[in-house]
Amino acid sequence: MRILLCNFNSPPSLTPTPPQKPPSFPTGAGVWTKKTLVTALTGALSLSLLVSSPSPSLSRDSQSFQSPRPPQVSTSLPDRCTGEGEQLQEEEEDKVELKPEFVTNEEIVQEAWQIVNDSFLDTVRHRWSPQSWEQKREDILGTSIQTRSKAHELIKRMLASLGDPYTRFLSPPEFSKMARYDITGIGINIREVSDAIGGVKLKVQGLILDGPAHTAGVRQGDEVLAVNGENVMGKSAFEVSSLLQGPNETFVTIKVRHGNCGPTESLEIQRQLVARTPVFYRLEQVSNGPSSVGYMRLKEFNALARKDLLIAMKRLQDMGASYFILDLRDNLGGLVQAGIEISKLFLNKGETIIYTVGRDPQYRNNVVADTAPLVTLPVVVLVNNRTASASEIVASALHDNCRAVLVGDRTFGKGLIQSVFELRDGSGVVVTVGKYVTPNQMDINGNGIEPDYRNFPAWSDVAQHLSRCNSLRQG
């Protein structure tokens, strides 16, 4: 296995002008024993945009502040080695993938078929059923597949028969490009794994070959124990990924346990960030309303989005802002988890951010804020018909919980979840596995979100709108 990435939102190839409303897909998702779930995607971001950097017109004030070279880790951590049954299961999951030359063409096609069988949920043309999909497998695998290019062509035709524009095949070069969205900055992807005592361990699901972590000695299947001396037990994969982030070419020290119950080792790794800050902000003086408004433009939801937006908000508050404007116009999405974490900055503990709907239980979830809000000032969110996916999650979460007024045009309407799976020859498949539903139970996909105002309202109307919304919720 060469590359594994983190949760993140992105779709198929969309042109700069939004196309007709894309169809809506619920989810399915199971993980076949010999396949690896690489990344969960949703959004309206094209593959070409996926591998390009944000615009350079960004604020330099939003850098992450960390020491350039942390000390070596020496903290004693509890031993949480797995039981024998779990160990055998995880050893099976962590086996090195077969090299491409040892994988037959038939096995590659079978692997792609199995992923769709486990994960895909069709709500567009209703072409998929267990019976019809089983028949397709028998038809395709009934004859010998002579070449790898023929195997790839069969996979393309098999996926095209589903009638889902977001479920598609990725060639090995296309798949490798997704390494550009490394969320940690050191070239690893972390997943949460249940242990034998009811807790959660953080395992290295995959890593970029010859990337910073791989070069330092991190290996697939290692357990992450500490970052810069801080025990990460009880933290989420996203929280630990955030701890690993920092300015380019600075150092981070992580402590890992190799394998399931192997030795522990502290490794110093130099970061190599690709992501650039997507946040631009300024303080504006306004008339006939609050004296100062903090304007923040968020261009995409990348690995730095939450951290840099929080820095911007704190600085704007210190400068005297009494309202915020969050500009999500033309923001096509990015990392879904970043959108969820940004929503938490504004919401009360227990308030719903988004519902996920899917075939598999792991995609049926009520995502809620788990902390008190860090920001309580009124918010105006600017949206348009290119506000999509993660942007729509944030906009609906703040709107439906009476934290923000939406101004502009109806949003794009892309509320699907795709997962990217690596096949054993280095190619991959993107499969639609779920969709998002707003806190007010509205299906985003194909519908978009209708703003409260087309044009910017008077500031007094903003305050009255939010007050009325909260009164209706409490009543």
Side-chain angles (χ1 to χ4, degrees), residues 56 103 152 158 178 302 309-310 345 363 366 411 422:
V103 181
H152 290 173
M158 184 170 65
M178 292 188 176
N302 68 12
L309 189 69
L310 181 57
L345 299 176
Y363 289 101
N366 176 16
T411 63
E422 182 180 23

Side-chain angles (χ1 to χ4, degrees), residues 19 96 159 186 427:
V96 176
L159 299 180
I186 61 172
S427 61

Side-chain angles (χ1 to χ4, degrees), residues 135-372:
Q135 183 60 52
K136 186 167 291 293
R137 184 180 71 87
E138 294 176 4
D139 294 342
I140 290 176
L141 298 178
T143 58
S144 176
I145 304 171
Q146 297 298 324
T147 64
R148 188 54 51 89
S149 61
K150 178 65 174 177
H152 290 173
E153 185 59 35
L154 285 173
I155 293 172
K156 290 178 183 178
R157 284 163 44 193
M158 184 170 65
L159 299 180
S161 71
L162 297 169
D164 176 0
Y166 298 100
T167 295
R168 65 200 188 278
F169 174 78
L170 298 175
S171 66
E174 289 172 330
F175 184 89
S176 67
K177 285 181 181 179
M178 292 188 176
R180 305 257 189 113
Y181 256 74
D182 166 31
I183 188 176
T184 65
I186 61 172
I188 64 172
N189 174 42
I190 302 170
R191 64 170 175 168
E192 299 167 18
V193 178
S194 298
D195 63 19
I197 59 174
V200 174
K201 297 186 300 182
L202 297 173
K203 303 273 284 188
V204 176
Q205 182 184 9
L207 63 165
I208 297 174
L209 184 65
D210 297 327
H214 182 262
T215 301
V218 178
R219 293 296 177 261
Q220 183 182 338
D222 286 356
E223 180 183 356
V224 180
L225 302 175
V227 176
N228 289 340
E230 180 179 349
N231 184 355
V232 299
M233 184 183 298
K235 295 185 182 296
S236 69
F238 187 84
E239 289 173 316
V240 175
S241 294
S242 297
L243 292 176
L244 293 170
Q245 297 166 19
N248 193 34
E249 298 185 355
T250 59
F251 289 81
V252 61
T253 299
I254 68 172
K255 186 170 187 176
V256 298
R257 173 180 285 122
H258 296 300
N260 291 309
C261 283
T264 62
E265 184 178 8
S266 293
L267 301 168
E268 185 181 67
I269 305 169
Q270 188 176 30
R271 301 178 176 99
Q272 293 180 8
L273 281 178
V274 173
R276 300 175 65 178
T277 178
V279 178
F280 170 83
Y281 66 93
R282 64 177 180 262
L283 189 70
E284 294 189 349
Q285 304 300 319
V286 297
S287 57
N288 301 321
S291 58
S292 300
V293 175
Y295 171 86
M296 303 173 295
R297 178 180 175 87
L298 182 59
K299 302 192 69 173
E300 69 170 340
F301 291 84
N302 68 12
L304 303 179
R306 180 195 179 277
K307 185 181 297 182
D308 288 357
L309 189 69
L310 181 57
I311 291 172
M313 288 191 293
K314 287 182 176 178
R315 290 181 177 173
L316 289 168
Q317 278 186 298
D318 292 342
M319 294 163 65
S322 52
Y323 273 76
F324 282 130
I325 295 176
L326 177 59
D327 192 347
L328 297 179
R329 292 174 297 181
D330 300 318
N331 185 327
L332 295 173
L335 293 163
V336 170
Q337 191 61 37
I340 290 171
E341 297 299 322
I342 285 173
S343 298
K344 291 179 181 180
L345 299 176
F346 300 89
L347 302 183
N348 295 313
K349 184 175 182 179
E351 289 183 326
T352 296
I353 298 169
I354 202 76
Y355 295 103
T356 61
V357 179
R359 232 175 78 196
D360 189 279
Q362 69 173 307
Y363 289 101
R364 301 175 200 149
N365 193 20
N366 176 16
V367 183
V368 301
D370 50 13
T371 58

